[in-house]
Amino acid sequence: MMLFENIRLAFSSLVANKMRALLTMLGIIIGIASVIAIMTVGNSVTGNITESMESLGVNNVMVSLQQKNEEKESREDGVVFGSQPRSENLTEEDLITTDMIREFVNRYPDKIKCISAQSTLGDGQALDGNLYANASLLGVSLGYFVANDLDIIAGRYFSEREFDEGDMVIIVSDKLVNNMFKGDAEAAVGKTLQFNVEGKFYHPTIVGVYEHEDSPYMISMTSEKDIRTDAYLPLRTVMNEKHITRFGGFTVVTATGTDPDELAGITKQFFNVYYRNNRNYEISAFSMATMVSMMSTMMGTVTTALSVIAGIALLVGGIGVMNIMLVSITERTREIGTRKALGAPNGSIRTQFIVESIVICVVGGIIGIIIGVSAGMALAKYLGTPAKPDISSILLSIGFSSAIGVFFGYYPANKAAKMDPIEALRYE
Amino acid sequence: MEPVMQLRGITKNYFIGSPNEIHVLRGIDLFVEEGEFVAVVGASGSGKSTLMNIIGALDRPTTGEYTLDGIDVIRAKDAELSRIRNQKIGFVFQTYNLIPKTNALKNVEMPMLYGGVSGHTRLVRARQLLELVGMGDRMKHLPEELSGGQKQRVAIARAMANNPSIILADEPTGALDSETGRLVMDIFHKLHDEQGKTIILITHSPELAEETQRVITIKDGQITGIRKGKGKENDAL
């Protein structure tokens, strides 16, 4: 009954001093809004990255060259950061040969679904009179389309023969078709394009068109017309063109029923036999699943760090509340004296002001949550990820703002409770 | 019958033990019978405010005995003093001291709220009291919307809320013009005559004091005179 009365009183005091109440709440509003916004965006982005990485295939095992270093701290999951092969030390002899890969596939045919390897030809431009389209030309193995889950919307994949022969055939994106063939994918199939790649001209024939998907976590700043999409050639074609036979890395797609982590271990063991005597390099292999969980952990850490910063804003807000509460009890000294003369015990005066402080903080918190969720969703939408407001963080915010109310309201409330009634009644 | 309020040898010193020790009250003996209307008069600095604070259980005397309605006020703990103020004493201040931004009804309910009276009973009693002081038509008004006299009438209704043993009125007409002051005094007389309330009126106005049954004069912290006023005897006695 008393509590209800106190809440009513706190609200009427808020309404009576609207401007001051709003300014006081501002700190809480900003603090809570930033925490919620960060959590919302963080959750959305993490969820989205995880999802898109999973869509790339949790069954994939990434194999790459890695510099040998005895002192380097290796993580338990076998992933080592900053281990990109340095080109100055890297010689042709260090790279993985096609023979090694072939041997590997032959050794474990039931564990491997396919191998995805790629080699970049270079960035180029398709030209046809006034029409043009930007593309990155990439030589890919048969397994690439499986590993990367690409959808062919017109035409077909490369044939086995085209791979083996190294034919000048190409699979282009629907975006390129938009620019070169007015979006008619069916009409594009069978046409020969002229590509200018870093000064060299190529004339591949289109055999298929795939559906380009915008990378959700990379904001494209280029216009639709200038967008650069991948265009795929058979791996052999590019290797012949560049006169190479070896790779720095590739992806293994695990066969159904095989644990990717297990395959990663097997792969590492298999290839490192070749590298036992190599002074500088060895092979690292880890599954996509490991990568996904690492990514989530990393995003979680970033979100937490940002939330801590927002928490500081909340702390400052709390100090603001304490400040205004101190002003408020000074202004209401006579009221406090009167209440005491009317028989209010110290405890109920304390409760009154703590409740008032909680009401300020919770009202501020709720406004903050509304702003935070809207801002977070707007930002998530801008980033192109589905918004996921985090219910637990919203509940936590309400709890946290009440806690701030109690914490920063206690000192002023206690000061009010301990006032001498005679002094308080005499206060002008 | 035991007097409702008994003060024996009350002294109050400030700066105790220092060379500048001030003796504000120098041994006050005062008995007030139930249903009595008493006036305490004295110039400012006479110690009557300090006496009022002690009677009102807001302050403790340095030495002496104080019994109110059979309760030993001297030995009461702070929490008990709150309870005594709430249940046994009804304060009326010179400056009204209504709670701002809170309507007349809620102001009158306030002491009952602290006294743990249930919501409905509170409302009914507050309404009755406001009717009694002639404020029945302004129950929902905020103090800011009331005149001085109206505020004081609400304050009197509030003082009556828990049906206290004594009503302690400190210069209740001090801030009012004589006409409104008259109105307020009439309410005190009404409460005294019709309800048999014990009222202690602290004032520096000899005319108002004269209206009560007994006038107690304080000077330099001592009672210098007690005489009968012109107020009529209460039938209850």
Side-chain angles (χ1 to χ4, degrees):
Chain A
M1 199 65 224
M2 203 67 201
L3 186 72
F4 184 74
E5 204 61 26
N6 277 330
I7 293 173
R8 188 193 63 79
L9 212 74
F11 270 106
S12 64
S13 153
L14 277 188
V15 173
N17 298 302
K18 283 188 207 74
M19 190 62 187
R20 197 167 79 186
L22 189 72
L23 286 175
T24 311
M25 283 179 200
L26 210 55
I28 303 289
I29 293 174
I30 292 171
I32 294 280
S34 359
V35 172
I36 296 284
I38 289 166
M39 293 287 228
T40 307
V41 173
N43 273 344
S44 310
V45 172
T46 309
N48 203 262
I49 288 182
T50 311
E51 224 166 81
S52 62
M53 283 177 88
E54 277 171 354
S55 78
L56 281 179
V58 277
N59 289 328
N60 291 4
V61 173
M62 325 289 259
V63 184
S64 64
L65 272 182
Q66 174 191 312
Q67 205 147 21
K68 268 186 187 169
N69 191 340
E70 297 302 322
E71 292 104 79
K72 187 166 351 193
E73 256 183 74
S74 166
R75 286 172 53 119
E76 259 178 35
D77 48 20
V79 179
V80 179
F81 292 104
S83 61
Q84 289 302 308
R86 281 210 301 271
S87 50
E88 62 258 35
N89 294 339
L90 191 67
T91 61
E92 184 71 17
E93 278 73 45
D94 293 324
L95 294 172
I96 305 162
T97 63
T98 31
D99 288 340
M100 288 185 209
I101 297 172
R102 197 165 294 134
E103 181 79 11
F104 175 58
V105 176
N106 289 338
R107 179 80 67 85
Y108 303 104
D110 51 337
K111 291 191 191 297
I112 299 162
K113 192 172 177 190
C114 57
I115 299 279
S116 163
Q118 62 186 78
S119 183
T120 311
L121 186 62
D123 286 347
Q125 199 167 47
L127 290 164
D128 181 12
N130 288 333
L131 300 173
Y132 71 94
N134 292 322
S136 297
L137 272 67
L138 214 57
V140 296
S141 72
L142 195 56
Y144 185 89
F145 296 102
V146 180
N148 291 286
D149 198 19
L150 292 178
D151 288 331
I152 295 286
I153 53 173
R156 55 170 174 83
Y157 289 112
F158 300 127
S159 68
E160 200 97 21
R161 208 185 69 89
E162 283 161 344
F163 272 111
D164 292 343
E165 301 282 314
D167 288 348
M168 199 36 96
V169 286
I170 195 162
I171 296 177
V172 296
S173 71
D174 52 348
K175 300 283 181 195
L176 186 136
V177 170
N178 283 347
N179 285 345
M180 302 300 290
F181 301 100
K182 300 189 177 73
D184 189 348
E186 295 298 340
V189 176
K191 295 271 177 12
T192 299
L193 279 173
Q194 173 176 268
F195 270 100
N196 178 353
V197 180
E198 286 148 19
K200 281 188 80 177
F201 284 90
Y202 298 95
H203 298 89
T205 306
I206 299 171
V207 296
V209 178
Y210 74 93
E211 190 180 5
H212 174 82
E213 273 176 41
D214 271 316
S215 180
Y217 41 95
M218 293 231 262
I219 305 158
S220 172
M221 288 300 172
T222 52
S223 70
E224 192 76 352
K225 195 161 171 58
D226 288 321
I227 192 167
R228 184 178 298 283
T229 56
D230 288 341
Y232 303 109
L233 299 148
L235 183 60
R236 172 76 56 196
T237 315
V238 173
M239 288 173 80
N240 288 346
E241 199 58 46
K242 288 167 76 182
H243 307 292
I244 55 164
T245 52
R246 292 160 178 249
F247 306 96
F250 60 93
T251 303
V252 185
V253 181
T254 316
T256 328
T258 305
D259 176 27
D261 281 325
E262 184 202 335
L263 186 67
I266 292 170
T267 312
K268 217 171 144 182
Q269 230 170 10
F270 177 87
F271 280 95
N272 276 325
V273 172
Y274 295 99
Y275 285 82
R276 192 173 293 145
N277 298 323
N278 191 308
R279 286 229 320 278
N280 298 321
Y281 290 96
E282 61 186 356
I283 293 292
S284 82
F286 50 87
S287 72
M288 203 67 187
T290 312
M291 200 71 167
V292 168
S293 76
M294 261 176 49
M295 201 69 196
S296 305
T297 316
M298 259 165 64
M299 284 305 295
T301 314
V302 171
T303 307
T304 311
L306 286 173
S307 301
V308 166
I309 295 169
I312 293 169
L314 214 49
L315 183 77
V316 175
I319 294 168
V321 170
M322 175 145 85
N323 190 12
I324 239 44
M325 288 305 293
L326 283 170
V327 171
S328 170
I329 67 153
T330 308
E331 278 181 359
R332 289 155 72 184
T333 302
R334 273 181 89 88
E335 179 191 325
I336 294 161
T338 308
R339 283 174 183 275
K340 287 195 156 194
L342 296 181
N346 290 357
S348 85
I349 301 277
R350 192 181 297 124
T351 311
Q352 182 193 334
F353 284 98
I354 288 179
V355 166
E356 196 167 314
S357 162
I358 292 174
V359 166
I360 291 178
C361 291
V362 169
V363 170
I366 289 169
I367 298 175
I369 287 166
I370 294 167
I371 295 176
V373 168
S374 332
M377 297 214 334
L379 208 61
K381 196 173 177 186
Y382 175 73
L383 291 175
T385 69
K388 285 178 193 156
D390 185 14
I391 300 298
S392 69
S393 72
I394 288 171
L395 293 177
L396 197 74
S397 297
I398 294 180
F400 196 57
S401 40
S402 339
I404 287 176
V406 174
F407 186 79
F408 289 102
Y410 186 82
Y411 172 72
N414 205 39
K415 202 176 156 186
K418 288 197 170 143
M419 269 184 193
D420 177 13
I422 301 168
E423 293 284 327
L425 278 169
R426 213 182 283 152
Y427 186 86
E428 290 297 325
Chain B
M1 201 161 96
E2 276 275 284
V4 68
M5 192 191 89
Q6 309 178 32
L7 292 174
R8 281 194 188 86
I10 296 288
T11 68
K12 181 72 183 179
N13 302 343
Y14 288 107
F15 312 116
I16 297 161
S18 82
N20 305 323
E21 187 167 315
I22 297 167
H23 304 273
V24 184
L25 296 178
R26 301 158 182 265
I28 301 272
D29 295 302
L30 181 61
F31 303 91
V32 175
E33 302 288 338
E34 183 153 10
E36 221 184 340
F37 194 173
V38 181
V40 176
V41 288
S44 54
S46 61
K48 68 179 189 320
S49 292
T50 307
L51 182 64
M52 185 225 150
N53 289 338
I54 290 170
I55 293 172
L58 289 165
D59 202 357
R60 293 171 190 275
T62 309
T63 61
E65 294 294 322
Y66 175 21
T67 315
L68 180 65
D69 201 16
I71 300 165
D72 184 354
V73 179
I74 301 297
R75 281 163 198 85
K77 295 192 180 70
D78 278 358
E80 292 171 273
L81 284 185
S82 294
R83 187 101 193 119
I84 291 166
R85 287 198 292 268
N86 185 240
Q87 297 292 317
K88 303 290 176 194
I89 300 160
F91 285 94
V92 179
F93 303 96
Q94 180 177 2
T95 48
Y96 330 118
N97 286 5
L98 295 182
I99 306 297
K101 292 157 201 150
T102 307
N103 68 31
L105 206 57
K106 292 278 176 195
N107 258 288
V108 178
E109 280 188 46
M110 194 82 59
M112 293 188 268
L113 196 71
Y114 291 125
V117 179
S118 74
H120 181 70
T121 321
R122 267 198 331 249
L123 190 66
V124 171
R125 173 132 180 94
R127 283 215 175 104
Q128 279 173 356
L129 288 167
L130 283 167
E131 299 279 359
L132 184 75
V133 297
M135 290 293 291
D137 54 340
R138 288 190 166 75
M139 291 199 238
K140 296 282 180 188
H141 282 56
L142 297 178
E144 294 82 0
E145 298 160 357
L146 298 173
S147 72
Q150 289 169 333
K151 277 192 243 192
Q152 198 60 299
R153 280 190 275 165
V154 174
I156 293 168
R158 184 177 67 179
M160 294 280 294
N162 284 330
N163 196 18
S165 308
I166 57 168
I167 287 178
L168 193 56
D170 183 15
E171 302 275 10
T173 60
L176 302 172
D177 60 72
S178 56
E179 205 175 317
T180 346
R182 183 68 260 152
L183 215 77
V184 168
M185 276 309 286
D186 288 344
I187 291 172
F188 281 116
H189 283 296
K190 186 175 158 191
L191 292 178
H192 177 243
D193 296 340
E194 292 174 10
Q195 310 226 341
K197 281 275 130 199
T198 314
I199 300 168
I200 299 170
L201 173 75
I202 292 157
T203 179
H204 61 257
S205 154
E207 298 87 49
L208 289 182
E210 215 51 50
E211 294 178 18
T212 65
Q213 293 168 320
R214 198 150 59 106
V215 183
I216 293 147
T217 314
I218 291 188
K219 199 180 173 191
D220 295 333
Q222 282 173 313
I223 293 177
T224 54
I226 301 180
R227 63 192 150 83
K228 253 180 102 70
K230 289 172 187 147
K232 64 177 175 185
E233 285 300 314
N234 196 311
D235 301 331
L237 285 175

